[in-house]
Every structure is written in structure tokens, then in C-alpha cells.
Amino acid sequence: MSSKRAYTSPLREKAAAQTREAILQAATELFGQRGYGLVTVADIAAAAGVSPKTVFASVGSKREIMDRIIDAGVAASRYKEALRQVLSLSTPREVLAALAAGTRYGNESQFTVHEAIRLALPVHEDGAALWERATRDYRAALREAADHLHTLTPRPRYAAKETADLLWLWFGPHGWRTLVAESGWSWDHAETAIRETAIAAL
């Protein structure tokens, strides 16, 4: 007895993907501007030009939308490519310069995503899980970079874990936001200062 295969329309799949992208883009901008707690699914639907029912069917609840935004932002930051480059370098100065450039790209290109996360933390259903999801790969990459630094000459003056903590202080999202968003520095100026601070300190 033969069974019918479900027909998959490439055009329909493409349209569905474009709808999801429009919803996530609208949600990212709204969360980054107004804050997760003040944005409703109806707001997201209106901004994306779809119905609330379509939002739920395409991407899920508001919490699921935030999770998707984080995952897309992590992928778009190109941290894996940046880490591969860092681990291929053979001097501490080159490593720290590459970290400055790579984390600058991730923070600058994903600034709206970072703002959406920052504003969501105080009101999200599970802020701790949200922060862990948003920073897990970032911190792990900086720990790998710290371990790599400890294989080079000269080695950092701190223990490997302390080096990783310092890399998070300098190259993590807080450091970039403090200089650029809160203090009005240009991204170029911030990159130079963070890079030279790390080189001098380690």
C-alpha cells in the first residue's frame, strides 16, 4: 500500500522564512528600543505587517522570540571565525589585537540585539537563563583565547582563569557598551583603547 508524500513548495518555504525574518527583525528593534517588558506580540505583529496568530505560528511566544533573536545574534557575530583566527596566531600582541577586532565586530554588528537582551534581563521570565544563553559561547571563546595566550611567550602575568576573567572585562559586552554607548566613544577609538589596555596589562 503506497502512502502519499507530503508536498513541499520551495516558494512557500521561502515565504515562510521571509516572514520569520521580518518578525524577528521587528521584535529585535522593538525590544532594543522599548524593552522586552513593554512590547507585546501584537506590537511585533504590527511592526512586521502580519497578524499575532502568524507570529505565534511562525516563531512562537515572546520568550521563544527572544531565544531565537539571541541564537541568531550569536551566529551573526561570527565568533567562531574570529576564534579560529585567534588560535592561529603566535604572539600575544597579535592575539589581543585580533580579539579587539573580532569582539568589536560582534558588538557593533549586533548592538541592537545586545540592547534587547540588556533591557530584557530585569523583566524576563528567567533572566539568569537568558543571560547564560546570550553569553555562554562568548565567554567560552574568551576562555579558549586565554588558554592559547598561556601557550605563548611571554605568558600573561596572571593565572589562566584570571586571564580569561580579564578578557571578559575588556572584550565582553559591558566593556564595549561602557565606552561606546554610555561614554560616546567611537568604535575605532574604543577598539584601540581596549586593545592597548589589554596588551599593557597582560
Side-chain angles (χ1 to χ4, degrees):
M1 180 177 178
S2 63
S3 59
K4 292 183 178 179
R5 290 188 300 174
Y7 172 69
T8 302
S9 166
L11 290 178
R12 188 175 301 162
E13 285 187 346
K14 182 178 179 180
Q18 290 173 337
T19 298
R20 284 193 297 272
E21 180 61 28
I23 291 168
L24 292 176
Q25 183 62 37
T28 301
E29 292 174 2
L30 289 172
F31 290 161
Q33 294 166 1
R34 289 161 48 184
Y36 178 85
L38 298 179
V39 175
T40 66
V41 169
D43 294 331
I44 296 169
V50 299
S51 70
K53 183 178 179 180
T54 299
V55 172
F56 282 110
S58 298
V59 293
S61 66
K62 196 165 77 164
R63 179 171 181 168
E64 290 170 317
I65 291 170
M66 178 58 84
D67 287 345
R68 285 176 178 259
I69 288 171
I70 290 173
D71 293 344
V74 169
S77 72
R78 302 202 310 224
Y79 80 95
K80 290 182 179 179
E81 294 91 331
L83 180 60
R84 279 197 294 270
Q85 181 189 6
V86 164
L87 298 181
S88 73
L89 298 172
S90 57
T91 71
R93 178 176 287 273
E94 289 175 330
V95 167
L96 295 171
L99 281 175
T103 57
R104 181 252 178 97
Y105 174 83
N107 281 272
E108 185 176 11
S109 67
Q110 300 304 307
F111 183 78
T112 304
V113 173
H114 289 193
E115 285 297 283
I117 296 166
R118 184 182 68 85
L119 294 173
L121 289 173
V123 296
H124 190 268
E125 298 90 329
D126 190 347
L130 179 70
W131 183 243
E132 199 279 333
R133 186 186 193 106
T135 60
R136 178 180 57 236
D137 292 334
Y138 197 158
R139 294 205 72 156
L142 290 178
R143 284 195 296 270
E144 285 194 59
D147 290 339
H148 180 57
L149 280 168
H150 278 263
T151 69
L152 306 178
T153 302
R155 289 189 179 185
R157 67 188 70 181
Y158 302 94
K161 182 185 181 304
E162 292 174 338
T163 299
D165 293 338
L166 288 169
L167 295 183
W168 180 247
L169 172 67
W170 298 319
F171 299 112
H174 294 308
W176 288 104
R177 190 177 195 285
T178 296
L179 293 180
V180 176
E182 296 178 9
S183 304
W185 289 35
S186 70
W187 287 98
D188 286 341
H189 189 30
E191 180 181 345
T192 298
I194 291 173
R195 180 188 68 234
E196 295 305 314
T197 296
I199 290 171
L202 291 178

